[in-house]
Amino acid sequence: MSVKAVGITRRGRGARKAIRQTRDVTMLPALKRRLPPCEPMSAREIERIDAASMAILEDVGVVFRDPVALADWRRAGADVRGETVHLDRGLVRELIAGIPASFTYHARNPANNLPFGNDHSIFVPMTGAPYLRDLHDVRRAPRLEDLADFHKLSHMLPAMHSTAHHIVEPMDHPISQRHLRITYSSMKHSDKTFMGMTTSPKNAQDVLDMCALLFGADFMETHAVVTGNCNGNSPLVWDETMLGAMRAFIRRNQPVLCSPFVLGGANTPASVAPTVAQLNAEALSALAYTQVIRRGAPAIYGHYLSTVSMKSGAPMAGTPEISLMNFMIGQMARFYDVPWRSSNTLGGAKTFDAQAGYESATTGMAVLMAGANYLWHSAGWNEAGMHCSMAKFVVDAEQCAMGYRMAEGIRWDDFDEALGAVRDVGPGGHYLGHPHTLENFQRAFFMPEMFDNNSIEQWQAEGSAGITERALLRARDLLNEYEEPRLDADVDEALRDYIARREREIPAADALNQDR
Amino acid sequence: MSVKAVGITRRGRGARKAIRQTRDVTMLPALKRRLPPCEPMSAREIERIDAASMAILEDVGVVFRDPVALADWRRAGADVRGETVHLDRGLVRELIAGIPASFTYHARNPANNLPFGNDHSIFVPMTGAPYLRDLHDVRRAPRLEDLADFHKLSHMLPAMHSTAHHIVEPMDHPISQRHLRITYSSMKHSDKTFMGMTTSPKNAQDVLDMCALLFGADFMETHAVVTGNCNGNSPLVWDETMLGAMRAFIRRNQPVLCSPFVLGGANTPASVAPTVAQLNAEALSALAYTQVIRRGAPAIYGHYLSTVSMKSGAPMAGTPEISLMNFMIGQMARFYDVPWRSSNTLGGAKTFDAQAGYESATTGMAVLMAGANYLWHSAGWNEAGMHCSMAKFVVDAEQCAMGYRMAEGIRWDDFDEALGAVRDVGPGGHYLGHPHTLENFQRAFFMPEMFDNNSIEQWQAEGSAGITERALLRARDLLNEYEEPRLDADVDEALRDYIARREREIPAADALNQDR
């Protein structure tokens, strides 16, 4: 049978051209997952992890390298010995019960607000890359204009729910002042949600002050408008920089991702379940501390998760144990009824090659099946996070749109009508001209634009373009078509004034002390 | 923290070298899945698909373009009108109840026998490629020696449970006689399980006669030793060639994969659930027919599944709807308590690029999470099946080993011991020298050898080898290290005599009529 679309072809060249030309840059709503998550642990095994984590918190304790946090913990009734805080499981449970299971994550354009937590998931781009592979696939140091390009792409790619913050590090600006320009770029180039820098307590304050200019300080008191990430130093240590940044966010009722930084086998035991028990204890200790700072403030169970090659010491991604741990962590977060974050598309490939594809897709499928709420690093990640690839950014964003469709689950609304088509067509027929097909073909099966599924002859006739070339062409098109969302002129001026003032106040040379 | 493996490094260069040099080519046992499958349908929705499929079988019917099958169906009590067989749901249920839920799939080396069905899964290489990308990544017509190389690789790659049959088409042999050489190559180069050609009823007979020489005709009467695939012509047609081959296998009690060939949207409705309802009806009709031929014979619920781009007509893989349909088909096969086959690593990329990686990993994760028993096309597939890539073959096989590890689920046997390590190490320490790490590091976290996770500096210093280059180097090493498993000299002679006789009997020129 010829697969040439009979019915479709008859609709004519104009119709097909119209399909191609209507580039939909409308953001997809927050994903509402209907696919059941993968849950490999029984209730008894969940309790076993919980009990082990609680025993770690009680007996081993967690180091908070921060006098303010230690004083806070003492006041909260914890057993503090030196810098080590021993947390009674009753106290931990009582504290984490204060964390909202869900909230609305607000964008400056209310149309881009995101319901967050429970069965909702959002896709957030990668961040923190010290290099980029640019529109010519050249690996180089990023500038502020490159960051702007990534923010513009995030704004236009429908499955991206956020512009994040420093997708790439703008190396052309002093490190001590960089957070101001990064935050402004997120705010200016998109009206989707964004993230806030947590590189120091003072930097976090700047971010929150800028958010107050954008959203209003009163609004922020009762609405989440920016997320901040705080990494732990596994095993079982939280440092002053992160805890200070955490306090800045939580005091203003803004959600913090509490993220143990796991290199499985190096800073955790060389085994899956015990690694989750340790990570869980670490996350719980920080989640509990958010509620010591401000009861009821939103907080997110986080982690950064890689396993370490015992041959080379290199971090690895896309490995089976990372998938298993994600499934387990999802179960733990749901057990505690707190939203949780995972990392998507991780990998160690040096170029946008088959390794990058395997690693990203494996990770992406795993974290979707794990039911993560906050899918960070969902676009652009490569080379263990050392570079963000423009080409991969565009392809990953399409992969997120595909994962989104899968996680939405099965449609049943046209079931009976389509069974009528089976009767109409009968044995040996085809469906291409059937009314049901004509009505449904656009939404029925995802048609990835970054994948080439033509014959090799056609592909060669069209220039044998590889996926990197195709994706960079798309990136260029998107950037050409980009339209900046309107930002109130007074707000814009206030933000610029704030930055100008802070750039006068912060010494450009005081880089290493300010921004860790 | 430095990730350099302190404890490991102290074990010395010799230990690390020994790890590298011990290439384990021992086959992994059939995977016993402990990860729960993804089941998006409720019991009511499963019954809805079942009811729809049964209504299709009763009201629309299935065309069997084959006088023998029509006569068989009449005798079995079906309502036969012309070539269309209308199957009452009671009859269908009664027939498929005869299919064994599990059996042992025998290899000529009993150490490689595979428990099959229920929670067991096996990985089988791709088949049917008219081109290969060879050890120099050149795309060309395959020869018999290329097929032998793929059979040798299948023999050596631990996660491959079968050598399949015509991984690539040996174009240097007449098409009418090719099945003899293909079968011999599978039998000779490996002592794992293999597949049998079903390109015509006579070819299938030859395969089964050769199996009788290898295993003994009596043994075959009570033991499964070879699988044959029969594709349906969707919608709702089975042809004479496939049905004749099916009878050849089933009459000798050998398992047949009953595989509707779905191009979603072209030969099924443009919608997920109705496509599954049609596919399910098609599979049931063939499964039921196997039991008309021989009650109790092993049969496998199969399918080949792609969705069609409504823009270009091209088949697509790695799409979200294919994942959803696999999850659903898994539920239906378990509902009927029959083993089932899916396709792994499908994709349309022209080279071994990022697209190939995304497509293969997405498909691989989906079919593992779907709980498929027979994971066909698990290595080498590219370009919509038009070529088998040597490089991809090796990488896919490692991906299968990784998927195997994930699907095995969580180990708990060292949980308490590892928690002791958490107490020993304490906050801020590291695990690299801990006895638990030294005892467990080799099995704790999968270390993919085809992925490069080193720094870019190290990668560049080592020659910036891409994944294709690395994989082809591995393929060459494996082929150099290959040792042919012993085949009894009398059996070998009998097989060669059989082939010589049949090659005299089958006209080499009668190509197109013999082998469809």
Side-chain angles (χ1 to χ4, degrees):
Chain A
M1 192 196 62
S2 163
V3 183
K4 194 77 190 169
V6 178
I8 312 309
T9 308
R10 284 196 189 134
R11 305 186 90 202
R13 194 178 287 241
R16 288 203 310 280
K17 203 171 166 192
I19 293 166
R20 274 201 303 272
Q21 286 181 343
T22 314
R23 174 129 51 221
D24 194 352
V25 297
T26 310
M27 191 184 84
L28 292 167
L31 165 64
K32 190 169 168 62
R33 280 178 284 106
R34 290 194 298 162
L35 208 63
C38 179
E39 305 208 310
M41 289 194 291
S42 66
R44 205 191 65 79
E45 286 164 342
I46 291 171
E47 281 164 18
R48 194 167 177 195
I49 295 283
D50 173 67
S53 301
M54 292 299 182
I56 291 170
L57 292 174
E58 288 173 349
D59 303 340
V60 183
V62 179
V63 166
F64 284 75
R65 290 203 178 120
D66 175 46
V68 180
L70 292 171
D72 286 344
W73 274 124
R74 267 188 219 100
R75 268 193 306 278
D79 172 13
V80 180
R81 309 176 203 164
E83 290 187 316
T84 306
V85 181
H86 294 260
L87 291 168
D88 175 80
R89 67 190 70 197
L91 178 62
V92 172
R93 287 197 211 288
E94 193 270 319
L95 286 169
I96 61 171
I99 297 170
S102 65
F103 56 85
T104 300
Y105 185 4
H106 289 265
R108 70 173 167 97
N109 177 355
N112 292 333
N113 288 353
L114 301 166
F116 186 79
N118 295 330
D119 53 0
H120 284 104
S121 298
I122 65 170
F123 295 101
V124 180
M126 82 156 287
T127 65
Y131 295 91
L132 87 158
R133 280 191 182 269
D134 66 12
L135 285 169
H136 306 282
D137 201 33
V138 173
R139 187 180 183 275
R140 61 172 173 80
R143 296 184 291 265
L144 194 58
E145 67 200 41
D146 298 311
L147 177 60
D149 280 350
F150 280 115
H151 285 155
K152 292 174 187 175
L153 289 176
S154 306
H155 181 63
M156 297 185 79
L157 291 161
M160 290 295 105
H161 291 112
S162 164
T163 57
H165 41 20
H166 60 151
I167 295 175
V168 290
E169 280 287 342
M171 299 294 195
D172 53 345
H173 278 260
I175 195 166
S176 58
Q177 302 173 346
R178 206 179 277 165
H179 62 288
L180 301 164
R181 302 295 185 114
I182 292 166
T183 306
Y184 181 73
S185 181
S186 300
M187 290 174 164
K188 176 79 170 169
H189 294 112
S190 176
D191 54 9
K192 295 184 180 179
T193 62
F194 57 88
M195 295 183 71
M197 300 293 287
T198 49
T199 34
S200 77
K202 282 186 182 171
N203 292 356
Q205 287 289 4
D206 281 330
V207 169
L208 293 158
D209 288 345
M210 290 175 72
C211 287
L213 294 174
L214 186 62
F215 290 96
D218 288 350
F219 186 84
M220 283 171 70
E221 264 302 300
T222 46
H223 299 82
V225 303
V226 62
T227 52
N229 181 64
C230 292
N231 284 332
N233 300 342
S234 299
L236 299 164
V237 178
W238 297 93
D239 71 25
E240 192 170 8
T241 304
M242 291 281 98
L243 292 167
M246 178 188 289
R247 279 191 296 272
F249 272 71
I250 293 292
R251 282 178 184 156
R252 292 169 89 154
N253 213 26
Q254 298 307 306
V256 167
L257 289 68
C258 302
S259 305
F261 194 92
V262 164
L263 302 161
N267 63 17
T268 70
S271 189
V272 164
T275 292
V276 172
Q278 179 188 310
L279 182 159
N280 187 53
E282 293 165 345
L284 289 175
S285 69
L287 289 167
Y289 183 52
T290 64
Q291 303 304 299
V292 172
I293 304 167
R294 178 169 174 160
R295 180 78 182 181
I300 299 167
Y301 186 132
H303 67 75
Y304 177 84
L305 193 52
S306 63
T307 54
V308 166
S309 167
M310 293 290 163
K311 289 182 192 169
S312 67
M316 305 184 294
T319 54
E321 294 82 13
I322 293 175
S323 299
L324 288 173
M325 289 193 270
N326 270 302
F327 300 147
M328 296 169 78
I329 294 163
Q331 288 189 273
M332 296 315 298
R334 288 187 288 276
F335 177 72
Y336 301 119
D337 201 18
V338 294
W340 71 289
R341 162 241 162 155
S342 189
S343 304
N344 199 348
T345 83
L346 299 189
K350 260 52 78 184
T351 62
F352 188 31
D353 65 353
Q355 177 180 341
Y358 283 104
E359 289 172 327
S360 293
T362 301
T363 310
M365 287 290 278
V367 295
L368 273 172
M369 305 297 289
N373 303 109
Y374 193 102
L375 293 149
W376 196 0
H377 303 312
S378 275
W381 180 287
N382 215 5
E383 198 198 324
M386 290 297 287
H387 81 253
C388 180
S389 156
M390 277 266 176
K392 189 166 183 290
F393 199 89
V394 171
V395 176
D396 282 340
E398 185 173 79
Q399 288 292 308
C400 290
M402 291 167 76
Y404 185 107
R405 184 77 75 90
M406 179 187 78
E408 278 186 308
I410 307 155
R411 280 176 50 214
W412 293 91
D413 56 324
D414 67 335
F415 190 66
D416 293 328
E417 186 195 342
L419 292 179
V422 177
R423 289 167 194 267
D424 292 344
V425 170
H430 70 76
Y431 289 78
L432 294 167
H434 192 278
H436 177 269
T437 307
L438 296 178
E439 278 158 34
N440 288 277
F441 76 93
Q442 288 235 46
R443 66 167 186 169
F445 300 123
F446 198 102
M447 290 177 261
E449 298 191 353
M450 292 295 99
F451 286 178
D452 186 296
N453 283 302
N454 293 323
S455 69
I456 195 161
E457 291 78 12
Q458 187 172 346
W459 177 72
Q460 286 167 338
E462 290 173 0
S464 305
I467 190 167
T468 301
E469 190 182 335
R470 298 195 301 270
L472 291 178
L473 188 64
R474 169 60 54 90
R476 266 182 228 111
D477 283 352
L478 285 169
L479 292 172
N480 286 336
E481 294 163 18
Y482 170 76
E483 289 176 27
E484 191 173 288
R486 197 190 151 275
L487 178 62
D488 181 272
D490 292 343
V491 171
D492 198 0
E493 197 184 333
L495 288 169
R496 289 171 178 274
D497 288 348
Y498 184 91
I499 293 169
R501 174 171 68 81
R502 291 293 291 144
E503 287 189 346
R504 287 193 302 274
E505 290 168 3
I506 304 170
D510 186 21
L512 294 173
N513 291 336
Q514 276 282 333
D515 195 289
R516 278 183 293 185
Chain B
M1 190 195 66
S2 164
V3 182
K4 195 75 190 171
V6 178
I8 311 308
T9 307
R10 285 197 187 134
R11 304 186 93 202
R13 195 178 286 241
R16 286 203 311 283
K17 202 169 165 194
I19 292 165
R20 273 202 304 274
Q21 285 181 344
T22 314
R23 175 129 51 222
D24 194 353
V25 296
T26 309
M27 190 184 82
L28 291 167
L31 166 64
K32 189 169 169 62
R33 281 178 284 107
R34 289 193 300 161
L35 208 61
C38 179
E39 305 208 311
M41 289 193 291
S42 65
R44 205 192 65 81
E45 286 165 342
I46 291 171
E47 280 163 18
R48 196 169 176 193
I49 295 284
D50 173 67
S53 301
M54 293 300 183
I56 291 169
L57 292 174
E58 287 173 349
D59 304 340
V60 183
V62 179
V63 166
F64 285 74
R65 288 200 180 121
D66 175 46
V68 179
L70 293 171
D72 286 343
W73 274 124
R74 268 188 218 98
R75 268 194 307 278
D79 171 13
V80 179
R81 309 176 204 164
E83 288 187 316
T84 306
V85 181
H86 294 260
L87 292 167
D88 175 79
R89 67 190 69 197
L91 177 62
V92 172
R93 289 197 208 289
E94 193 270 320
L95 286 169
I96 62 171
I99 298 170
S102 65
F103 56 84
T104 300
Y105 186 4
H106 290 264
R108 70 173 167 96
N109 177 356
N112 292 333
N113 288 354
L114 301 167
F116 187 77
N118 296 329
D119 53 359
H120 283 104
S121 298
I122 65 170
F123 295 100
V124 180
M126 83 156 286
T127 64
Y131 294 90
L132 89 157
R133 279 191 182 268
D134 66 13
L135 284 170
H136 306 283
D137 200 33
V138 173
R139 186 180 183 275
R140 61 172 173 79
R143 297 184 290 266
L144 194 58
E145 67 201 42
D146 298 311
L147 177 61
D149 280 349
F150 280 114
H151 284 155
K152 291 174 187 175
L153 290 176
S154 306
H155 181 64
M156 296 185 80
L157 291 162
M160 290 296 106
H161 291 113
S162 164
T163 56
H165 41 21
H166 60 153
I167 296 175
V168 290
E169 279 289 341
M171 299 295 195
D172 53 343
H173 278 259
I175 196 167
S176 59
Q177 301 173 347
R178 206 179 278 166
H179 62 287
L180 301 163
R181 301 296 184 113
I182 292 166
T183 306
Y184 180 73
S185 181
S186 299
M187 291 172 163
K188 175 80 171 170
H189 293 114
S190 176
D191 55 9
K192 296 185 180 178
T193 62
F194 57 89
M195 295 183 72
M197 300 293 286
T198 49
T199 34
S200 77
K202 281 186 181 171
N203 291 355
Q205 287 290 2
D206 281 329
V207 169
L208 293 158
D209 287 345
M210 289 174 73
C211 287
L213 295 173
L214 185 62
F215 290 96
D218 288 350
F219 186 83
M220 284 172 69
E221 265 301 301
T222 47
H223 298 82
V225 304
V226 62
T227 52
N229 181 64
C230 292
N231 284 331
N233 300 340
S234 299
L236 299 164
V237 177
W238 296 92
D239 71 25
E240 192 170 8
T241 303
M242 291 281 97
L243 292 167
M246 179 188 288
R247 280 191 296 272
F249 272 71
I250 294 292
R251 281 178 184 153
R252 292 168 90 152
N253 212 26
Q254 297 307 307
V256 167
L257 288 68
C258 302
S259 305
F261 193 92
V262 164
L263 303 161
N267 63 17
T268 70
S271 189
V272 163
T275 293
V276 172
Q278 179 189 310
L279 182 158
N280 187 53
E282 293 166 345
L284 289 176
S285 68
L287 289 166
Y289 183 52
T290 64
Q291 303 304 298
V292 172
I293 303 167
R294 178 169 173 159
R295 181 79 183 179
I300 299 166
Y301 185 134
H303 67 75
Y304 176 84
L305 192 52
S306 64
T307 53
V308 166
S309 167
M310 292 293 162
K311 289 182 193 168
S312 67
M316 303 183 296
T319 54
E321 294 82 14
I322 293 175
S323 299
L324 287 173
M325 289 192 271
N326 269 303
F327 301 147
M328 297 169 78
I329 294 164
Q331 289 190 272
M332 297 315 299
R334 289 187 288 274
F335 177 72
Y336 300 119
D337 202 18
V338 293
W340 72 289
R341 162 241 161 154
S342 188
S343 304
N344 200 348
T345 84
L346 299 190
K350 260 51 77 183
T351 61
F352 188 31
D353 65 355
Q355 176 180 342
Y358 283 103
E359 290 172 327
S360 293
T362 301
T363 309
M365 286 290 278
V367 296
L368 272 172
M369 304 298 287
N373 302 110
Y374 193 102
L375 292 149
W376 197 0
H377 302 313
S378 274
W381 180 287
N382 215 5
E383 199 198 325
M386 289 298 288
H387 81 252
C388 181
S389 155
M390 277 266 177
K392 190 167 183 290
F393 199 89
V394 171
V395 175
D396 283 339
E398 185 172 79
Q399 289 291 307
C400 291
M402 291 167 76
Y404 185 107
R405 183 78 73 91
M406 179 187 77
E408 279 186 309
I410 307 156
R411 281 177 48 214
W412 292 92
D413 56 327
D414 67 336
F415 190 66
D416 293 327
E417 185 195 342
L419 291 178
V422 177
R423 288 167 194 268
D424 293 345
V425 169
H430 71 76
Y431 290 78
L432 295 165
H434 192 278
H436 176 270
T437 307
L438 296 176
E439 276 158 36
N440 288 277
F441 77 94
Q442 288 235 47
R443 66 169 186 168
F445 300 121
F446 198 103
M447 292 177 260
E449 299 192 352
M450 291 296 99
F451 285 177
D452 186 296
N453 284 303
N454 293 325
S455 68
I456 195 162
E457 292 77 12
Q458 187 171 346
W459 177 71
Q460 287 167 338
E462 290 173 1
S464 305
I467 190 167
T468 300
E469 189 182 334
R470 298 195 301 269
L472 290 177
L473 188 64
R474 170 60 54 92
R476 265 181 228 112
D477 283 352
L478 285 169
L479 292 172
N480 286 336
E481 293 164 19
Y482 170 76
E483 290 177 26
E484 190 172 288
R486 197 188 150 276
L487 178 62
D488 181 271
D490 291 344
V491 171
D492 198 1
E493 196 183 338
L495 288 169
R496 288 171 178 274
D497 287 349
Y498 184 91
I499 293 168
R501 174 171 67 80
R502 291 293 290 143
E503 286 189 347
R504 286 191 303 274
E505 290 168 1
I506 304 171
D510 185 21
L512 294 173
N513 291 336
Q514 276 281 336
D515 194 287
R516 279 184 291 185

